[in-house]
Amino acid sequence: MKIASEKQAADYCDFALDEFEKASARIQKEIDAWYMRFAKNNEISFAEAKKWLTSGELKELHWDVQEYIKAGESLNPKWYKALENASSRVHISRLEALKLQIQQQIEALYGGQAKDLDQLMSQIYQDSYYRSIFEIQKGFQLGWEIPRLDVEKLSTVLKKPWTTDGRTFSDRIWGNKDQLVNTLHTSLTQGIIRGESPQKIAAQLVKTMNVAKSNASRLIRTETAYFHEQAQKQVYEDLDVEEYEILETLDTRTCAVCGGLDGKVFKKSEHEPGVTAPPFHPNCRGTTVPYFVDDEGERIARDINGKTYYVPSNMTYEEWRKQYIKSNQNIERRVSNASKIVKEKGKVDFNDEHAVLNILEQAEKEFGELNYEMNCTVTADGKVWQVTGQDAVVDPWGIETRGSSLRGSYSYHNHPANVTWYSFSAEDVRFFFASCTRYSQASDDMFKYIMERTQDTIDVDPDIVYTEFSDLWNTKVLELSRKGEIDPDVDGFHEIMSTLSKKYRFIYKREKHNGRK
């Protein structure tokens, strides 16, 4: 059931990201044309950029604006009004004109997506509702007349805020749009003030658009998870299902937050998104199913290579992890080695900490914006290793199969923008303690963060830290979120890391990227 909604979301993500690429290309074209018209020797001063358009240039812009208005079926009413005002103005600066043309591309992009996504989420809700009822009937080997979905209830669900910030689905779309427009306009103005070339300005705008793409993907997948679960909730009410069970994916990508909740049973009256029902975080893959005491079926699991197999339906994620991963001490190492994803890239004087950290900084520049994880590790013997991962996981254990110990090593890995929680994950902390790494650095599209051992760092069972990570999410983070003191999507994992670093006496820092928003 959940797979079908995820497939719908993935298909639309592909389309949406392609639309971002097209809008980005159009913006670059607008910048190139603007520089070609007004710049001298590929440069233009801020004073020149603020000059009024001539009557001929203003007339051309008014033609463009009228075309925008004619094609503006999906435009935000505020922007539609702004376009009408612009078409009547007799004084517009060169820079204002370019900003207007750039914003039109963004308004059209988000306007079309807001309309498409509203239809998509409505379809996902309906499909999930009827598929879930069908699966329940199939499980009982009985068929009965099912209730028709109440359209008014569906409309209410689509318009209801569900996150701690009180914003609706549409609010998030338009909020992301406003943030993108402001960032693009600021980057453009500052680039002109600095005297940068159109190529450099366009490159920065492309970076900003890439961040927006990741935000859009995360929004689509997270909202899909929410509306799927709201359909499940409606099924429980319509079929008088009294209790439901949280069902997480049995694979190595499942985080500690979700893994710790797998198998938990709640009354349908306790159903609350982000607390007792998915999504528990951005890009959450969890779902719920009706709970039956005598269920003796099977559930799907995947090994670290993604190969599917089956386990008893009453096996929880934590039980699976202990039985199929922890009990086999070599599984992570064997997989890394078998996949041939570990490469030795050179050597460095390990006693020269500046040189070692410089290698990690270079790795960040190389891997920072990839859509899958990569790891760069410098081991105590001075060898530099590169490990290729997947979209949300990278496994450096294979380095030890090549003769180097991870104890005391320095490492960096990237978190792709569409799967990050803006800090280290529970898996990262568990690996930090299990491998006895000295210094670990990671980054995503917004932040750079480190954790570092000191002489006072307390050694602890890695699985204890892993479990504690989940416990802190379910207690401290959710409490702060309910009070409106933090945004759990951005600061939840950061709050946990700050707490763990104090308790176990290791250094933890998070800071904004230089040159990033």
Side-chain angles (χ1 to χ4, degrees):
M1 295 179 286
K2 180 70 180 291
I3 293 175
S5 62
E6 288 179 338
K7 176 67 166 58
Q8 288 176 285
D11 289 344
Y12 184 74
C13 272
D14 290 341
F15 168 77
L17 299 187
D18 185 55
E19 291 299 301
F20 267 93
E21 292 289 349
K22 291 176 181 177
S24 182
R26 289 193 291 268
I27 289 173
Q28 291 181 69
K29 188 175 179 180
E30 299 278 11
I31 293 172
D32 288 341
W34 189 81
Y35 264 83
M36 190 174 294
R37 169 171 287 190
F38 299 119
K40 295 178 181 179
N41 299 321
N42 213 34
E43 292 183 1
I44 186 168
S45 68
F46 187 54
E48 288 289 327
K50 291 181 69 177
K51 285 185 177 179
W52 300 125
L53 294 178
T54 65
S55 58
E57 292 162 350
L58 184 63
K59 191 173 183 178
E60 288 181 27
L61 177 65
H62 286 168
W63 287 340
D64 287 339
V65 169
Q66 289 304 314
E67 290 300 314
Y68 297 157
I69 292 174
K70 288 179 183 178
E73 292 181 9
S74 58
L75 293 182
N76 186 308
K78 289 183 180 179
W79 178 241
Y80 195 90
K81 184 66 176 177
L83 285 175
E84 289 185 326
N85 291 339
S87 68
S88 64
R89 289 177 60 183
V90 295
H91 291 298
I92 296 178
S93 74
R94 296 168 173 177
L95 183 55
E96 284 180 294
L98 180 56
K99 285 182 176 179
L100 185 148
Q101 291 168 315
I102 289 175
Q103 184 165 352
Q104 168 59 23
Q105 300 300 332
I106 303 304
E107 295 283 350
L109 171 67
Y110 277 82
Q113 290 195 355
K115 183 178 179 180
D116 291 343
L117 285 170
D118 192 60
Q119 295 174 349
L120 175 65
M121 296 308 156
S122 175
Q123 188 63 48
I124 282 173
Y125 185 97
Q126 295 180 68
D127 288 350
S128 296
Y129 178 83
Y130 290 118
R131 284 178 188 273
S132 182
I133 289 180
F134 171 74
E135 290 296 331
I136 291 174
Q137 289 186 343
K138 189 168 68 172
F140 282 112
Q141 297 184 341
L142 292 172
W144 61 85
E145 185 175 351
I146 61 175
R148 188 168 184 82
L149 187 61
D150 190 324
V151 177
E152 290 186 5
K153 285 184 180 179
L154 172 57
S155 178
T156 300
V157 170
L158 290 172
K159 295 176 181 177
K160 181 181 178 182
W162 65 273
T163 52
T164 54
D165 59 8
R167 291 194 297 169
T168 65
F169 178 47
S170 295
D171 291 338
R172 286 186 176 276
I173 293 175
W174 293 116
N176 288 348
K177 183 268 299 181
D178 291 341
Q179 182 180 18
L180 176 58
V181 168
N182 290 337
T183 303
L184 289 175
H185 283 180
T186 299
S187 296
L188 174 66
T189 303
Q190 291 178 346
I192 292 171
I193 291 172
R194 289 192 295 264
E196 293 175 348
S197 67
Q199 293 80 13
K200 190 166 184 178
I201 289 176
Q204 181 58 44
L205 297 186
V206 168
K207 272 189 173 184
T208 302
M209 289 292 286
N210 286 339
V211 172
K213 280 197 303 183
S214 297
N215 290 339
S217 177
R218 183 164 52 242
L219 175 67
I220 292 166
R221 295 179 189 279
T222 306
E223 294 289 341
T224 295
Y226 168 72
F227 287 112
H228 171 83
E229 287 308 316
Q230 287 303 295
Q232 292 286 88
K233 179 183 178 183
Q234 190 61 51
V235 168
Y236 302 153
E237 292 177 357
D238 291 345
L239 298 187
D240 293 325
V241 174
E242 293 300 323
E243 295 180 308
Y244 66 89
E245 180 181 359
I246 294 175
L247 188 70
E248 294 293 342
T249 306
L250 300 185
D251 66 15
T252 55
R253 290 175 54 198
T254 296
C255 70
V257 172
C258 293
L261 290 167
D262 182 61
K264 301 295 184 185
V265 177
F266 297 94
K267 296 177 182 178
K268 68 179 178 184
S269 59
E270 297 173 329
H271 191 286
E272 183 179 352
V275 181
T276 59
F280 297 111
H281 54 70
N283 294 308
C284 186
R285 299 183 298 155
T287 187
T288 63
V289 293
Y291 174 68
F292 301 110
V293 177
D294 57 350
D295 185 7
E296 296 181 354
E298 292 181 317
R299 62 185 298 192
I300 292 175
R302 298 187 186 94
D303 64 22
I304 201 166
N305 288 319
K307 185 177 179 180
T308 297
Y309 59 95
Y310 293 88
V311 299
S313 61
N314 61 356
M315 176 178 281
T316 67
Y317 177 83
E318 290 300 324
E319 291 169 342
W320 170 81
R321 185 173 65 84
K322 290 176 181 178
Q323 182 172 339
Y324 288 90
I325 294 182
K326 185 178 178 182
S327 62
N328 188 339
Q329 297 177 357
N330 295 318
I331 186 169
E332 292 174 329
R333 302 180 185 183
R334 285 191 298 101
V335 170
S336 289
N337 190 43
S339 301
K340 302 187 186 303
I341 58 176
V342 179
K343 295 180 181 179
E344 185 179 345
K345 302 295 289 185
K347 293 203 71 172
V348 67
D349 180 0
F350 192 76
N351 294 319
D352 186 347
E353 187 175 42
H354 177 75
V356 172
L357 291 176
N358 186 56
I359 288 174
L360 302 188
E361 292 297 326
Q362 292 303 314
E364 181 182 344
K365 291 178 182 178
E366 184 179 352
F367 307 151
E369 296 182 12
L370 296 176
N371 60 4
Y372 57 93
E373 289 197 11
M374 292 285 291
N375 171 278
C376 174
T377 294
V378 181
T379 47
D381 55 9
K383 292 182 179 180
V384 180
W385 301 92
Q386 178 177 298
V387 185
T388 303
Q390 301 172 32
D391 57 349
V393 63
V394 63
D395 175 21
W397 278 114
I399 292 172
E400 294 205 338
T401 68
R402 304 287 292 274
S404 293
S405 171
L406 290 170
R407 180 177 291 274
S409 62
Y410 286 64
S411 74
Y412 164 80
H413 70 281
N414 63 307
H415 284 165
N418 63 330
V419 292
T420 186
W421 290 282
Y422 301 109
S423 185
F424 291 107
S425 67
E427 291 81 1
D428 292 334
V429 184
R430 178 152 62 101
F431 179 81
F432 179 75
F433 280 97
S435 63
C436 296
T437 298
R438 178 182 174 186
Y439 177 97
S440 181
Q441 178 178 321
S443 67
D444 50 47
D445 56 310
M446 286 179 62
F447 297 101
K448 171 180 177 178
Y449 22 92
I450 68 159
M451 52 181 162
E452 182 178 6
R453 286 179 177 272
T454 70
Q455 290 183 342
D456 295 326
T457 298
I458 300 172
D459 282 325
V460 61
D461 184 332
D463 286 323
I464 290 178
V465 181
Y466 184 89
T467 302
E468 192 168 348
F469 196 103
S470 177
D471 292 341
L472 284 168
W473 177 276
N474 294 324
T475 53
K476 184 175 184 178
V477 172
L478 290 184
E479 181 62 26
L480 291 174
S481 175
R482 290 190 192 98
K483 292 179 179 178
E485 295 180 12
I486 66 168
D487 178 349
D489 291 356
V490 177
D491 296 319
F493 279 23
H494 174 61
E495 191 70 36
I496 293 172
M497 286 299 303
S498 298
T499 301
L500 291 175
S501 64
K502 292 174 183 175
K503 180 174 182 178
Y504 296 111
R505 300 178 189 172
F506 62 89
I507 295 171
Y508 166 71
K509 296 178 182 178
R510 184 181 79 164
E511 59 185 23
K512 287 270 189 174
H513 269 290
N514 290 329
R516 296 195 185 188
K517 69 172 189 173

